[in-house]
Amino acid sequence: SAVISQKPSRDICQRGTSLTIQCQVDSQVTMMFWYRQQPGQSLTLIATANQGSEATYESGFVIDKFPISRPNLTFSTLTVSNMSPEDSSIYLCSHPVGGRSNEQFFGPGTRLTVL
Amino acid sequence: GQNIDQPTEMTATEGAIVQINCTYQTSGFNGLFWYQQHAGEAPTFLSYNVLDGLEEKGRFSSFLSRSKGYSYLLLKELQMKDSASYLCAVRVSNDYKLSFGAGTTVTVRA
């Protein structure tokens, strides 16, 4: 699996502001995904980041709130817009690793706290 | 929607065995995954089942029954470092997306 890094690793933000999270993979990957993990809960898929086209969002998530960019096969950003305390979560990017299981390999995550 | 159920918490003694059950009702099925997540860290892949039966990998084994919508993760010879959350996840189609259960927090006591 390719190595994934995320920036920032954590941040504390004021409500109403926006934060852009970067995900960098050290080799080209076809697909990238963004997940959210709210405190004490499991992971929920936000969207599939498509290279060169608009992201595909899951039910309950919209582009205006979570705009995503994927300019190339190694990089993606997720913006959390007009934040509220309910957006306090860990945000993780991932990619499938191929092979028999093709499991998702997760980045280290970005821990966001909104005050 | 997808419905994936697993117990919230389990406690076991070092050296013992623990079995974490997962039941699922999903709109499709293309594989079941188990992940381990230590506090403050990202989930790491443990096992994958797509056909019925048992997959063994060292101290960890995972079982799947597709007809029953049921899986379990078996942790043997428990060590303190096995204290973590264990996530059951189902892939419902060929698009690599995963639906996760809420996770089971396992506490290993000396």
Side-chain angles (χ1 to χ4, degrees):
Chain A
S1 53
V3 175
I4 304 177
S5 59
Q6 288 186 230
K7 291 181 180 179
S9 59
R10 60 177 62 230
D11 208 341
I12 300 173
C13 301
Q14 297 296 322
R15 71 169 66 211
T17 63
S18 298
L19 176 72
T20 295
I21 302 167
Q22 299 179 7
C23 177
Q24 179 74 55
V25 186
D26 70 349
S27 62
Q28 293 186 343
V29 294
T30 305
M31 304 189 75
M32 292 177 72
F33 300 88
W34 286 98
Y35 284 82
R36 178 175 74 179
Q37 187 171 29
Q38 293 177 299
Q41 299 188 28
S42 194
L43 285 79
T44 301
L45 180 63
I46 298 172
T48 303
N50 301 308
Q51 194 267 326
S53 64
E54 195 170 283
T56 305
Y57 290 84
E58 297 302 303
S59 176
F61 297 96
V62 295
I63 188 171
D64 290 345
K65 177 66 177 177
F66 297 102
I68 289 171
S69 78
R70 178 110 192 260
N72 56 54
L73 293 177
T74 64
F75 186 77
S76 178
T77 67
L78 169 75
T79 298
V80 187
S81 303
N82 188 25
M83 289 184 284
S84 67
E86 292 70 36
D87 295 320
S88 297
S89 291
I90 301 173
Y91 293 86
L92 303 106
C93 64
S94 71
H95 71 85
V97 301
R100 172 179 170 264
S101 59
N102 218 356
E103 75 271 15
Q104 290 290 331
F105 180 76
F106 289 91
T110 296
R111 184 179 295 272
L112 170 62
T113 301
V114 183
L115 302 178
Chain B
Q2 322 302 343
N3 191 24
I4 301 170
D5 291 318
Q6 50 183 130
T8 304
E9 295 180 333
M10 302 183 75
T11 302
T13 306
E14 197 173 14
I17 298 172
V18 70
Q19 178 175 313
I20 307 170
N21 296 324
C22 172
T23 58
Y24 62 90
Q25 292 177 304
T26 56
S27 57
F29 183 82
N30 192 25
L32 187 140
F33 298 80
W34 285 95
Y35 281 82
Q36 180 190 61
Q37 186 176 27
H38 286 101
E41 298 182 10
T44 56
F45 169 73
L46 286 179
S47 70
Y48 166 73
N49 296 72
V50 67
L51 299 176
D52 291 352
L54 189 68
E55 293 278 345
E56 296 186 87
K57 191 186 294 186
R59 294 188 299 114
F60 293 176
S61 303
S62 58
F63 172 82
L64 174 68
S65 169
R66 288 172 296 170
S67 63
K68 296 181 180 178
Y70 168 70
S71 173
Y72 67 72
L73 179 70
L74 195 69
L75 286 63
K76 294 179 266 189
E77 301 169 19
L78 279 172
Q79 303 175 9
M80 300 300 288
K81 68 178 181 180
D82 297 329
S83 292
S85 180
Y86 291 85
L87 308 174
C88 174
V90 175
R91 186 167 63 203
V92 300
S93 63
N94 291 326
D95 60 6
Y96 310 112
K97 296 187 288 188
L98 297 179
S99 295
F100 282 85
T104 299
T105 300
V106 172
T107 302
V108 181
R109 294 183 173 166

